[in-house]
Amino acid sequence: MPAYKDEKKGTWYVSFHYFDWTGKNVRKLKRGFATKRKAQEWEQSFLRTKAASMDMTFSEFFTVYEKDVRPKLKENTWWSKEHIIRTKIIPYFGNTKMVDVTVRDIIKWQNMMREYRDSEGKPYSPTYLKSVQAQLSCLFNHAVRFYELPSNPVHRAGALGAEEADEMLFWTKEEYLRFIPTMANKPYSYYAFELLYWCGIRMGELRALTAEDFDFEKNILSITKSYQKIKGKDVITKSKTKKSIRKVYMPEQVAREMEDFIHGIYGLQPNERLFPISKSYLHHEMDRGVKACDVKRIRIHDLRHSHVSLLINMGFSALAIGNRVGHESEKITYRYAHLFPSVQDDMAEALDEEWKEDFDVSEE
């Protein structure tokens, strides 16, 4: 693989032909290398990437994967994916050729991930481990589907983590009513928790809300977007799925509270975020509140679970609840099955009555 010296500048360059992914013969010229070796290494890396040869390293293929996949994804989705791959996967597989990654390598990586402990001695959660492996598998699936890698070694290695979500905690209505008065002296905290509990919206949806999202004549809250902070920047994205775009009918009292809150913010613009607060702020506020009222500590996201459990207790169907919180009814049924009242005994009794109507079982 030749490299050439530019005698005038004292640097090296490469000039070669390659076939791009369409089969077209293309000439490539690249100048400005300090040494012959660096020029040759660049040419070799370029050819592997352009040809998408599975002799390229995992890190090199990630560059190919990014070009293919990133344009199709929302910005926040890509950053989440990239963060996992760069911090949990590339450090282990980065210098290994794609074609050389074996099932045994995957298993060793899985064991390393299982053994990880943070500064407080806590391991990764089962659901997080499952998410990390899913990203690794997606990358290998892409190589199999589009770049002729023979097989995905992740499939044969078996699962990492668990399907089950972390323990689902929630507050009863009585527990929430004990908690919320502790927030009365901080309006942003109070109204944030009111919306999270009584409307069941997500944290990102709460933080993206503007005055334009409220219709106080009909008491409707429109959920169309979500907020995240990505690499230090405020990012507003469309809702994650079509199901997430929805209209939430607020309880009358909550609607009046929010109307007063919004009207009381001096100089608020219609498209200005109502809750410019951080996750850590709400976590701190919850810590403060539970300490003051002596209810169990739950996660912020568990307020959404609390809302769903309240609706189940009130007798609403999985379909109605799913429409309100932006989930398919099947997911509501699966995740909250243990909260729905059992109807098996009622069914058996009703069928027994039907049977008795057609048969005379009374004694003379």
Side-chain angles (χ1 to χ4, degrees), residues 94-112:
N95 295 325
T96 306
K97 292 181 179 180
M98 289 290 289
V99 74
D100 291 338
V101 178
T102 66
V103 176
R104 184 176 299 177
D105 294 326
I106 302 296
I107 292 173
K108 288 181 179 179
W109 170 79
Q110 288 177 333
N111 290 335
M112 182 188 72

Side-chain angles (χ1 to χ4, degrees), residues 30-52:
K30 179 70 173 179
R31 299 180 180 275
F33 297 99
T35 65
K36 180 179 181 180
R37 180 181 176 182
K38 288 184 178 180
Q40 291 173 326
E41 287 177 346
W42 184 89
E43 180 181 351
Q44 188 176 36
S45 176
F46 177 89
L47 288 172
R48 283 200 303 263
T49 302
K50 282 298 178 183

Side-chain angles (χ1 to χ4, degrees), residues 152-247:
N152 181 346
V154 180
H155 290 169
R156 294 168 56 199
L160 172 65
E163 184 71 33
E164 291 79 11
D166 297 332
E167 181 184 4
M168 184 186 299
L169 300 174
F170 59 89
W171 279 337
T172 63
K173 184 179 71 173
E174 289 70 26
E175 287 174 313
Y176 176 74
L177 292 178
R178 284 168 56 191
F179 166 83
I180 194 61
T182 66
M183 299 290 111
N185 62 330
K186 291 189 176 181
Y188 281 94
S189 303
Y190 178 87
Y191 295 115
F193 283 115
E194 282 284 85
L195 287 176
L196 290 170
Y197 181 80
W198 292 108
C199 296
I201 60 177
R202 301 174 176 90
M203 169 81 85
E205 294 169 342
L206 170 80
R207 297 170 74 196
L209 290 177
T210 65
E212 293 177 324
D213 296 319
F214 291 82
D215 179 347
F216 291 117
E217 291 186 4
K218 299 179 180 178
N219 293 346
I220 291 176
L221 173 58
S222 296
I223 303 297
T224 60
K225 55 192 179 294
S226 185
Y227 167 91
Q228 284 192 345
K229 184 173 283 294
I230 300 176
K231 295 190 173 182
K233 296 181 179 180
D234 294 335
V235 178
I236 302 294
T237 63
K238 293 181 180 178
S239 295
K240 189 173 182 180
T241 65
K242 290 184 178 179
K243 192 77 174 179
S244 297
I245 299 174
R246 63 199 189 278
K247 293 186 181 298

Side-chain angles (χ1 to χ4, degrees), residues 9-171:
K9 297 182 178 180
T11 57
W12 292 81
Y13 68 95
V14 289
S15 176
F16 55 92
H17 287 263
Y18 71 95
F19 291 94
D20 67 13
W21 67 276
T22 66
K24 182 180 177 181
N25 192 328
V26 181
R27 180 174 179 267
K28 182 67 177 180
L29 174 65
K30 179 70 173 179
R31 299 180 180 275
F33 297 99
T35 65
K36 180 179 181 180
R37 180 181 176 182
K38 288 184 178 180
Q40 291 173 326
E41 287 177 346
W42 184 89
E43 180 181 351
Q44 188 176 36
S45 176
F46 177 89
L47 288 172
R48 283 200 303 263
T49 302
K50 282 298 178 183
S53 166
M54 290 299 95
D55 283 334
M56 72 171 68
T57 65
F58 188 96
S59 292
E60 290 169 337
F61 184 73
F62 176 66
T63 301
V64 175
Y65 179 74
E66 179 177 5
K67 290 179 180 177
D68 289 348
V69 174
R70 186 173 181 175
K72 304 175 186 178
L73 302 178
K74 293 180 180 179
E75 184 178 7
N76 59 316
T77 302
W78 170 256
W79 285 122
S80 297
K81 177 187 285 286
E82 183 188 43
H83 176 75
I84 288 176
I85 294 174
R86 289 196 182 279
T87 61
K88 306 300 185 297
I89 299 175
I90 285 181
Y92 190 93
F93 296 106
N95 295 325
T96 306
K97 292 181 179 180
M98 289 290 289
V99 74
D100 291 338
V101 178
T102 66
V103 176
R104 184 176 299 177
D105 294 326
I106 302 296
I107 292 173
K108 288 181 179 179
W109 170 79
Q110 288 177 333
N111 290 335
M112 182 188 72
M113 295 295 293
R114 291 189 183 102
E115 292 168 1
Y116 169 84
R117 298 294 184 273
D118 65 14
S119 59
E120 297 180 356
K122 296 180 180 179
Y124 292 129
S125 71
T127 47
Y128 182 71
L129 290 175
K130 185 174 185 296
S131 177
V132 171
Q133 176 153 311
Q135 296 302 334
L136 179 62
S137 188
C138 282
L139 193 144
F140 276 107
N141 280 339
H142 193 78
V144 171
R145 184 177 180 186
F146 298 107
Y147 296 103
E148 300 183 0
L149 184 70
S151 63
N152 181 346
V154 180
H155 290 169
R156 294 168 56 199
L160 172 65
E163 184 71 33
E164 291 79 11
D166 297 332
E167 181 184 4
M168 184 186 299
L169 300 174
F170 59 89
W171 279 337

Side-chain angles (χ1 to χ4, degrees), residues 288-311:
R288 178 176 69 84
V290 298
K291 184 178 181 180
C293 69
D294 195 28
V295 297
K296 65 177 178 289
R297 176 63 157 91
I298 63 175
R299 298 163 301 184
I300 299 298
H301 187 72
D302 288 324
L303 290 168
R304 184 168 160 85
H305 298 321
S306 302
H307 182 71
V308 172
S309 68
L310 175 64
L311 295 176

